[in-house]
């Protein structure tokens, strides 16, 4: 059985899932960064399908980029001037090609955290 990658975004400032956030996934190899997937979070803050499904899943180094600025502006959480957080990149490694990797983003206008979930 092949592994797969999922993600979701929770708006910790508002205490709810973050809907409508665009997410891009890149694979990093040999000094290059190649776009391999893009998705938008649904009303539950998740993508409708794994962002990297079993058929495309492989060990390596990846980067998820969450376009948080658009969401923060749309929800009235952006102040005047430049945003503190706009694009949030999370670079991580996949070692086990048969595992489920879940990389969530816990977001507020002035901070974020992530972890390997299940």
């Amino acid at each position: 059985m092949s592994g797969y990658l999922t993600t979701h975004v929770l708006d910790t400032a508002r205490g709810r899932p973050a809907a409508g956030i665009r997410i891009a996934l890149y694979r990093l190899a040999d000094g290059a960064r190649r776009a391999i997937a893009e998705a938008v979070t649904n009303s539950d803050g998740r993508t409708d399908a794994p962002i990297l499904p079993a058929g495309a899943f492989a060990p390596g180094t990846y980067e998820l980029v969450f376009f948080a600025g658009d969401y923060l502006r749309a929800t009235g959480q952006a102040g005047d001037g430049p945003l503190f957080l706009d694009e949030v990149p999370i670079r991580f490694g996949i070692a086990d090609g048969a595992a489920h990797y879940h990389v969530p983003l816990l977001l507020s206008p002035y901070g974020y955290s992530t972890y390997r979930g299940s």
Side-chain angles (χ1 to χ4, degrees), residues 6 62 74-75 78-79 82 86 93 96 104-105 107-108 118:
T6 57
Y62 294 85
T75 58
D86 193 359
D96 183 351
L105 178 69
L107 176 67
S108 78
S118 58

Side-chain angles (χ1 to χ4, degrees), residues 1-4 54-55 57 96-100:
M1 176 180 215
S2 183
Y4 59 101
F57 192 80
D96 183 351
H100 172 203

